[in-house]
Amino acid sequence: MESSKADEKYLLKNGRVLLKEMFDGLAYTYPVFDVYPESRIIGLKLKSEKRVCLLGGGGSGHEPYPFGYIGDGMLSASVSGYVFTCCSSLNIYQAIKYLNNYNCNGGVLLIVANYTGDVFNFGLACEKAKKIDNINVAELIVSDDCSRPGGKVGKRGMCGLLYVIKILGVLAKRGSSIEDLLSLGKNINGKLASLGISATSCNIPGEEPSFLLQKGEFEFGVGLHGEAGTSRVKACDVKDLIRLAVDKICSTLGLKEFSVICLIVNNLGLVSHIELGALAKYAKEYFDELKIDVSRMFVGTFIVSLNMYGFQLSVIDVSDNQEWINYIDEETSAFAWPGNHMSIKPIEKQKSENIKIPKIDDIDPKLGVCISEKGSLILKSILKQIGEDLLKNVDVLNKLDQEIGDGDNGSTISRFASDLLTNLNNLPLNYPASVLYSLAFICEDKMGGASGALYSLLLTGAAGHLASMNYLDWTGALKNALDTSMKYSSARKGDKTMFDPIIAIHQVFQEYGNLDARDYVTVLEKALCRVHDVCNDVKQMKAEFGKASYVESVTSVGKMDAGAYGVALWLKAIHTAYMDTSK
């Protein structure tokens, strides 16, 4: 039988086998846990004491929920079912009895997300434990989804149940009764609102996505099991999505100016940390705009929907119950809860040392030899030509780099070229050493990556030599450029890198010794011819650096190195501009 497209998105295809493997892995990772892979129960090895224990659970596919929240001051155990399928009432019943053995019949409170299967199975296990074993057990149903009216079945349980677990877990640890915890839990539930938005559905192994979206569409009010939301919205800016979600949450909870909340920004599966950080910024800034105080904010992967590409905002209104913040702040050993003392805003924030951001203007504008006005005009023309020629060849460089590199050489070079042209009129053109230091700064500041650092080293080395001389020693500058950069790179001649043509340029300059301005045309023409020949040779070389050197499927022989080609471009620009302006 051929695997489906959905299967192709997973390293391991058999969901049921995979669950046992996951639990075995957890046993190795967290030796403090009691792990029962066959029944998919995980418990914290507790000392015997009479107090209420919290038990959570549900279908798999939401990890790190539920077992990531087992720890001192949160859950004491969890039960998992198959993917998006509630755990068996028999396994829940076993987990209740497991906890009762430790807590001297102090009580077990079941924290249940409001989904029909979960409510039924936890309810059945609860009844059995009461009737058969006389265990003091109760079920708290959490329903915080604000994307739709609840109707008879009630609102769905979402990420907000973590607030319930965190607050009640602390109070259970302090000895609160199961009746008090259940009453407080219901109160907390009325102060929760969560809403999910996604750009894709998720893929359950062996099944097709439950919904498909067109380009630019987002599913608004999406659930935790890949189910579709309440509507589809088109948005060109994620800030618009955040505003829609926040407005819905605010209307649900009746939040107004000076309300106090805690906020979770939850990754539903595939959202990167970079994106989560940006989402957190947009959400916090919109709440600030509404004059709502975000007292605590937690950002990360809390409860997922397998590999869904989406996020969820979850809010608890603590305006009238600010002591809840203290319970949320209390430390826990649960590995998935990110909150700690670093989440708390200091009452008196110590004045931080200001980090001085370097600027191009900080460079000494009068280093080394001062050249004539005519010389400075020639230098300006050369730099302008370099910037323009590099920008014209961005796509060419990217295409070359796609074949044996990372595909971004042209884009990286373009950032240098653009900033060079922007700053051209402000460069100290009468002082070549200062100009080269300025170019090194632009490379370091704007380009990034290996090529940015390498060009910055080359230019820094050349500038350092010119600054130390009382005449323009371009041959010595090239030598010092190579010496400086080769301290940090093991690439050498013949390794199919940008060093090959630069070494060739230096060799030509070296052949002419101390250059006079009258020699520049000849030297540049000869260097241009030599670089052309070297680039032909580079094509036939085997790459010893970059992607082609460590990815076996990439063949470098017969393909041009983008870095070497870039050197040929700027050398040709120097030659062209010099010929045009030195006449």
Side-chain angles (χ1 to χ4, degrees), residues 115-130:
Y115 291 96
T116 303
D118 296 66
V119 173
F120 286 172
N121 279 282
F122 275 89
L124 177 55
C126 182
E127 291 303 312
K128 286 177 67 175
K130 283 178 183 176

Side-chain angles (χ1 to χ4, degrees), residues 428-540:
L429 294 164
N430 287 106
Y431 291 86
S434 295
V435 170
L436 293 188
Y437 272 126
S438 299
L439 299 185
F441 178 86
I442 292 171
C443 290
E444 185 179 8
D445 185 43
K446 301 299 179 183
M447 285 177 67
S451 56
L454 190 51
Y455 266 118
S456 189
L457 283 166
L458 286 161
L459 288 161
T460 298
H465 181 77
L466 290 184
S468 68
M469 303 298 288
N470 59 6
Y471 67 99
L472 284 181
D473 179 16
W474 291 111
T475 304
L478 279 165
K479 181 180 185 304
N480 205 50
L482 287 166
D483 289 346
T484 302
S485 55
M486 285 182 173
K487 284 181 189 176
Y488 303 97
S489 172
S490 53
R492 294 296 183 266
K493 183 178 178 179
D495 286 339
K496 199 183 181 93
T497 69
M498 60 190 278
F499 277 126
D500 288 296
I502 295 174
I503 290 169
I505 295 169
H506 173 244
Q507 286 172 343
V508 171
F509 272 67
Q510 208 171 25
E511 289 167 10
Y512 280 80
N514 293 328
L515 290 172
D516 187 274
R518 291 169 294 185
D519 299 321
Y520 288 166
V521 172
T522 305
V523 172
L524 287 172
E525 286 178 348
K526 190 166 184 181
L528 203 57
C529 290
R530 186 79 60 88
V531 165
H532 180 269
D533 293 340
V534 166
C535 284
N536 285 333
D537 293 339
V538 164
K539 258 189 177 181
Q540 304 312 317

